[in-house]
Amino acid sequence: MGTLIKQEIYKLTHKKGTWFAIGLMILVQVAFALMQHSNPKLYGLESLVNNDYLGGGIYLFIMIASAASIIAMEFQYGTIKQLLYRQYYRSQIFISKLIVLFMQLVVLQVIASLVSFMLTAIFSPNFDWMQKVGSNTFLHQYLVGILGNGLVNCLLLSVVILIATLLKTNAAAITSGFIGYFVSMAASGIILVLINKWHWLRFNPFTMLMTSSQLLTPSMSKVTLMSTPLMVSLTIGYAVLFTVIAYLSFRKRHV
Amino acid sequence: MSNLLSVQQLDIAFGKHQVLHQVSFDVAAGHIVALVGPNGAGKSTIMKAVLGLISIDHGHLTIDSHPVSMTSHEALKQVGALIEYPGIYPFLTGRQHLELFADKENREANIEQVIKALHMTDYIDHKAKLYSLGMKQKLGIAQALVDRPKLVILDEPMNGLDPEAVKQLRDYIRQLASEGTSFLISSHILSELEKLADDVLFLDQGHIIRQTSMAELVTSGGTSYHITTADDADAKSRLIALGLPVLTDDTDPEKIILLQKTPQTLNQALHTLLTANIEIVDIVKVQHDLEESFLDMVNHQQEVK
Ligand SMILES: Nc1ncnc2c1ncn2[C@@H]1O[C@H](COP(=O)(O)OP(=O)(O)OP(=O)(O)O)[C@@H](O)[C@H]1O
Ligand SMILES: [Mg+2]
């Protein structure tokens, strides 16, 4: 298993795209920090920091592309046979890929946060991380936001992995990941209306894309009709479910 | 156990399409076994089954006496393979491919050795997306060989290689075999493996139609006799009863085509016919090269082994 994880990391770190994407993310963060600095009225500093100077959105896009290609690329490059004929179980190969994806997710978030801290320190040295937001500090809300986004991202990525595994092409998976992301952004209002009309609809996976919002604004439970712990559990549950379906299809596949 | 790989009564179907029928054979330690058959015969399918890549409907596969299946890959630790076409990560160099898959043990030495043996030094540090067809093929073969596995499975390894590269590969395979590595190598061109293999399996439409040593094939395979007698049907059944290798031509089922299996084959046949008082009208000696004899084999349904 250790060998497999090392091999996945080797592939990931030898792809130019991996480094290019990190560079792009930092560049975007710096650009937004500069814009904010030259024209403070353009964006609210608090919301910019909360969104890691837009780094959070970029890193989700990077992860969608990465999740889509980590399995689909093996089919695309014809390397899947080399990967599968060796002494390892298919489950080990699949899990090693999940672990490396998760590591990438964590590393990207850490980089985005560090850059945010630095940019804030450089351009807004007076920014008060301990200011009160509601009954909590800003820092507390920032960290809860990271946790919530991490959860929702895992759900989104599990869908991308499922589609990539079923269709064996990363293009389809990337597209559906992006569409899923934008739909969820745009459609949360509609979903809430529908939930209000048919209560059982609240359990559909799209509602779970609002878990991060509810973590930050607990009063949202009045419209999602679910307690926050239930919503967190369901988010994790759906992510696991989609991943397991992806694994079952991967395990049976003739190559 | 001297058989490194053993395949017993293997049946495989894709949906309703039965692709392999009761395929059985062994690969002895240090032997080079050729798997020869036309397109679609089932060569790659056999290899995928041996590598636990597809599920089998019936049969038993063992490597070094350990069973292999889609869910039991332990024994594949000792196997290197190239199936159908090489898988290449375009963003890695050739050397990085080898580093990626090579075991820790003797990694650098093994990598250097295979690069040298296959003459890949000039381009091994270039990105693989720049490789030509033959360069990719060599890289695929190098990946199969780099860990010095006990069993190597190569599916049409000569694809895309120039004559010099073919010779270099042949020499290296023979060297490894003499050091104890076993090989299962497929091809649809028999002559490609003529100078290489110890044993030959002929596969047609999922059946093993002949299993022979290369030496026997070379002494016999080139020569056959078309015998005409006063009573072909009777003559033929007598020869078959004796266990002589008689082929049947579908367009002329009574025609007697005798394969020369050993230098004594013709003598035995004539002796049988004369003893049975069957009048021999004509004997035509037909000299094929190996390629034609392979085509004969496929085109004629063989009645007797
Ligand atoms: N995944 C699959 N699904 C359905 N049928 C398949 C599959 N793979 C192979 N076959 C069928 O199995 C038969 C044998 O295929 P196989 O690839 O083993 O032939 P081959 O001897 O390797 O041929 P070639 O010389 O062209 O490589 C063919 O009739 C093919 O159509
Ligand atoms: Mg084939």
Side-chain angles (χ1 to χ4, degrees):
Chain A
M1 197 74 177
T3 313
L4 287 171
I5 292 174
K6 264 189 226 143
Q7 288 176 347
E8 289 304 324
I9 294 176
Y10 189 97
K11 284 184 259 183
L12 190 63
T13 53
H14 281 83
K15 261 195 253 185
K16 272 208 199 85
T18 308
W19 302 106
F20 180 76
I22 293 178
L24 183 74
M25 179 176 83
I26 296 175
L27 221 61
V28 167
Q29 289 181 287
V30 172
F32 273 88
L34 285 173
M35 275 198 274
Q36 208 282 332
H37 187 62
S38 64
N39 189 352
K41 294 212 180 73
L42 207 52
Y43 309 98
L45 182 58
E46 278 80 12
S47 88
L48 210 50
V49 172
N50 257 329
N51 288 302
D52 285 329
Y53 295 89
L54 275 296
I58 304 277
Y59 107 77
L60 179 58
F61 290 166
I62 298 173
M63 287 311 300
I64 288 176
S66 194
S69 57
I70 199 160
I71 289 174
M73 79 167 174
E74 309 285 357
F75 290 100
Q76 198 179 344
Y77 298 148
T79 44
I80 186 73
K81 289 192 284 273
Q82 260 143 283
L83 198 64
L84 292 185
Y85 84 67
R86 297 172 300 160
Q87 70 266 33
Y88 308 102
Y89 293 106
R90 284 201 186 191
S91 54
Q92 292 177 312
I93 291 165
F94 190 81
I95 291 169
S96 70
K97 284 179 177 291
L98 291 186
I99 291 175
V100 170
L101 267 183
F102 189 74
M103 287 163 65
Q104 193 185 10
L105 187 83
V106 171
V107 167
L108 283 177
Q109 178 60 62
V110 168
I111 293 176
S113 292
L114 286 180
V115 173
S116 295
F117 289 142
M118 283 195 300
L119 289 174
T120 311
I122 294 169
F123 293 110
S124 319
N126 296 325
F127 186 78
D128 181 11
W129 287 88
M130 293 304 161
Q131 63 184 287
K132 284 280 172 205
V133 180
S135 54
N136 292 309
T137 63
F138 181 87
L139 184 63
H140 178 268
Q141 290 296 82
Y142 175 81
L143 294 177
V144 170
I146 287 179
L147 206 72
N149 282 332
L151 268 177
V152 171
N153 290 347
C154 284
L155 174 60
L156 210 55
L157 294 178
S158 72
V159 176
V160 173
I161 290 171
L162 175 60
I163 294 171
T165 313
L166 289 177
L167 300 184
K168 298 198 274 188
T169 80
N170 50 12
I174 292 176
T175 316
S176 52
F178 284 169
I179 291 175
Y181 175 70
F182 289 120
V183 165
S184 67
M185 294 292 111
S188 56
I190 302 171
I191 291 172
L192 291 178
V193 170
L194 292 175
I195 290 176
N196 193 25
K197 212 162 173 192
W198 296 290
H199 289 182
W200 52 268
L201 260 183
R202 66 184 183 277
F203 297 122
N204 89 78
F206 283 103
T207 320
M208 308 313 152
L209 294 171
M210 286 179 259
T211 303
S212 52
S213 313
Q214 182 159 335
L215 272 170
L216 288 171
T217 326
S219 58
M220 260 186 79
S221 68
K222 289 199 191 78
V223 281
T224 60
L225 307 180
M226 281 183 285
S227 71
T228 307
L230 175 64
M231 214 167 162
V232 168
S233 317
L234 281 177
T235 310
I236 296 172
Y238 272 120
V240 170
L241 176 72
F242 293 141
T243 309
V244 167
I245 298 175
Y247 168 66
L248 291 179
S249 123
F250 180 74
R251 190 185 62 159
K252 285 273 157 65
R253 171 143 284 144
H254 282 186
V255 295
Chain B
M1 278 258 325
S2 69
N3 282 330
L4 190 60
L5 168 65
S6 161
V7 176
Q8 298 303 325
Q9 288 160 4
L10 183 62
D11 282 335
I12 289 181
F14 292 114
K16 281 198 181 128
H17 180 194
Q18 180 95 21
V19 173
L20 296 181
H21 305 263
Q22 296 284 305
V23 169
S24 299
F25 66 91
D26 296 307
V27 176
H31 267 228
I32 303 173
V33 175
L35 185 58
V36 181
N39 292 136
K43 305 181 293 293
S44 303
T45 305
I46 290 180
M47 294 177 153
K48 286 179 190 174
V50 170
L51 295 171
L53 292 175
I54 55 177
S55 55
I56 66 176
D57 296 306
H58 177 261
H60 196 61
L61 301 165
T62 58
I63 292 173
D64 221 0
S65 311
H66 298 288
V68 175
S69 72
M70 235 174 133
T71 50
S72 129
H73 275 204
E74 201 50 40
L76 293 170
K77 199 173 168 48
Q78 325 180 24
V79 180
L82 169 61
I83 302 298
E84 285 176 338
Y85 51 87
I88 301 289
Y89 298 104
F91 50 87
L92 295 182
T93 67
R95 189 187 300 277
Q96 286 169 340
H97 278 85
L98 298 176
E99 282 171 358
L100 179 62
F101 285 109
D103 284 344
K104 274 195 222 74
E105 234 177 288
N106 290 328
R107 175 179 280 170
E108 293 312 316
N110 282 347
I111 290 176
E112 279 313 317
Q113 197 197 3
V114 76
I115 292 172
K116 241 176 94 194
L118 296 176
H119 298 260
M120 303 171 69
T121 319
D122 286 348
Y123 52 85
I124 196 69
D125 289 311
H126 297 178
K127 287 260 191 296
K129 66 179 163 208
L130 304 173
Y131 284 13
S132 70
L133 182 69
M135 292 172 177
K136 285 184 189 160
Q137 182 73 8
K138 279 201 206 176
L139 179 56
I141 296 169
Q143 288 182 60
L145 297 177
V146 67
D147 273 340
R148 314 295 308 269
K150 277 192 187 173
L151 173 65
V152 177
I153 297 182
L154 299 174
D155 194 5
E156 319 216 2
M158 313 296 187
N159 269 357
L161 298 190
D162 63 37
E164 201 187 339
V166 168
K167 184 178 178 307
Q168 288 158 357
L169 176 59
R170 235 182 358 231
D171 290 346
Y172 192 44
I173 290 178
R174 235 191 268 111
Q175 182 204 325
L176 292 175
S178 70
E179 293 165 17
T181 309
S182 305
F183 285 87
L184 178 63
I185 305 179
S186 81
S187 177
H188 46 268
I189 306 172
L190 177 61
S191 54
E192 235 173 41
L193 301 177
E194 183 188 339
K195 299 189 195 121
L196 189 59
D198 302 309
D199 304 308
V200 189
L201 304 164
F202 288 98
L203 189 72
D204 187 33
Q205 295 177 20
H207 297 270
I208 296 226
I209 54 173
R210 191 172 175 197
Q211 198 161 356
T212 170
S213 75
M214 189 53 100
E216 185 181 299
L217 191 70
V218 170
T219 44
S220 70
T223 310
S224 66
Y225 300 96
H226 296 192
I227 304 174
T228 317
T229 64
D231 184 356
D232 281 350
D234 184 26
K236 193 164 182 172
S237 57
R238 282 172 191 274
L239 293 177
I240 290 171
L242 199 68
L244 289 173
V246 182
L247 298 181
T248 296
D249 185 339
D250 285 337
T251 56
D252 181 2
E254 291 198 344
K255 186 171 173 185
I256 303 170
I257 303 166
L258 181 70
L259 278 182
Q260 177 176 291
K261 204 168 177 179
T262 66
Q264 289 79 41
T265 306
L266 180 62
N267 253 335
Q268 288 172 352
L270 295 184
H271 182 74
T272 311
L273 296 181
L274 291 175
T275 317
N277 263 331
I278 297 175
E279 188 186 339
I280 299 169
V281 180
D282 190 21
I283 301 178
V284 181
K285 179 173 179 178
V286 181
Q287 192 72 44
H288 296 298
D289 62 17
L290 267 183
E291 213 50 53
E292 286 176 72
S293 78
F294 161 56
L295 291 175
D296 277 354
M297 188 89 58
V298 174
N299 293 334
H300 296 121
Q301 228 186 351
Q302 196 179 18
E303 297 226 313
V304 171
K305 250 180 104 174

